[in-house]
Amino acid sequence: MSINRETSTDLRLPQQTFDDDFILTISKVFSGVRWIGIVGASRIKWKLYALTLFCLFLAIEGQASKKVMRALAGVAVDISGHRSVAARLAGLMFYTAVLLGFIQSNRISNSWNDISVYWASVEWSQNIPNMSRDKTLRKRMYRVTLVIIMSGSVVYFLDALQAINFQCKLPFCLKQIILKTHGFLLRESEYSDWVGILTLFMSVIANIIWIFQDLLIILFSMGLSSRYRRLNECVEVMVAENNRNKNWSKDQDILQIYAWRKIREAYIKQAILVRRVDNTLGGLVLVYNFFNFYFICLQLFYGIIQGISNDGTKNYFFLIDLVWVAGRTIYTILSAADVNKYSTMALPYLFNCQNNGYNIEVQRLQKQLIKNYVALTGMGFYNINRSVVLQMMGTIVTYVLVLVQYDASEG
């Protein structure tokens, strides 16, 4: 009997992606960020909008680069305060980070359909006993999204507040905000109302993209870690049942070997899924870590050099920015490191398996988890595990001390 091809394509397993909480949540996230230019496979009007934002970011990048070059060449008219070489370089680095993050986020969004199909096929191709659904995953993902958005909005609002004279009228307040937050980009003679409005709009979009980079890494890490936790729970239950069963028959041995083989194959498919996600996410991880490392060093340097006793109000804003950047960087790295952490957490359960339930498949799974190193990476240059946080902290302290000593010697 022949089967209609058009009908059969709707029955293929990868097409049925609507039951998975992770896939549903990430799809909604990508659908909600189209207005900041992360459009993926959206309609042509959204792609034209994203192209417009990309061109505007390129224009800002070119103007900021020009200002930095003029300051370094000594031909800039004003290099004090918000137009100093350090301020201009910091502004250039921020928009460089945003532009690269914009490109990488669009790359991930474009690849999401393929990733989601493969993710769903891995999820549904498994037939493992005791494999429960993570009922709290969607709530945790929404909670993290809400906290990061709210925290980023508060920090951005506080940064704008320090530039406002509350006695001024609205157009002059906008001018004050733009000239203080984007002094590296515009001089007062170059300012106009329409330039100020456009700059404010692009600044808001840039800060949202800046936060969205964290969110993507965290949410993908949560999804991968959740799958590993579920597999580890299966191993724990299987080992506990094996240890309780003292009377084994030959038929039970065969069934146990088959069940352990399914679990071992599930870990193999999970490792392949992690590497497939890493191939897409690795560029964003590399960009994210590099620029966050730079801004943490910069904020620490400003805080140490200027102190908080000379101008308490101003430097408390530096402290808020430092805590925000450092806090979300550490949390993002730890979230990504959970993938590596949970990939081997089944080993203690396997080592606790007693002789009557120990078989060749359990032994193979032990060797597989020990030898098969699984982790998200920065395009393969380094692995994201918990030791990266300590390494980053040590490197930051070293570089800041070198900068402080250099600044003191120059003075």
Side-chain angles (χ1 to χ4, degrees), residues 107-165:
R107 178 172 172 265
I108 297 170
S109 180
N110 282 321
S111 303
W112 170 238
N113 285 337
D114 293 335
I115 295 175
S116 63
V117 168
Y118 186 76
W119 191 298
S121 67
V122 170
E123 180 72 29
W124 286 322
S125 64
Q126 297 171 359
N127 184 19
I128 302 174
N130 305 316
M131 183 84 168
S132 60
R133 184 174 181 177
D134 191 346
K135 298 180 180 179
T136 65
L137 177 61
R138 185 183 298 185
K139 292 182 180 179
R140 287 186 281 115
M141 292 174 71
Y142 282 141
R143 191 183 304 123
V144 168
T145 302
L146 181 62
V147 169
I148 290 179
I149 291 175
M150 292 293 292
S151 302
S153 301
V154 169
V155 172
Y156 183 78
F157 181 71
L158 291 176
D159 285 338
L161 279 181
Q162 67 173 324
I164 297 177
N165 180 1

Side-chain angles (χ1 to χ4, degrees), residues 295-305 322 396-397 400 404:
F295 284 110
I296 291 173
C297 288
L298 182 68
Q299 294 293 343
L300 276 174
F301 176 70
Y302 278 152
I304 293 173
I305 293 299
L322 173 62
I396 287 171
V397 172
V400 169
V404 171

Side-chain angles (χ1 to χ4, degrees), residues 126-132 231 234 238 259 262-264 266-267:
Q126 297 171 359
N127 184 19
I128 302 174
N130 305 316
M131 183 84 168
S132 60
L231 288 172
C234 289
M238 285 282 293
K262 295 293 292 183
I263 292 176
R264 185 174 63 82
Y267 274 99

Side-chain angles (χ1 to χ4, degrees), residues 66-99:
K66 177 182 175 182
K67 297 288 185 178
V68 171
M69 294 300 179
R70 287 177 61 84
L72 292 174
V75 298
V77 177
D78 184 5
I79 56 171
S80 61
H82 297 282
R83 298 180 180 86
S84 65
V85 176
R88 294 184 186 207
L89 182 59
L92 173 63
M93 292 292 281
F94 173 74
Y95 276 99
T96 301
V98 169
L99 181 61

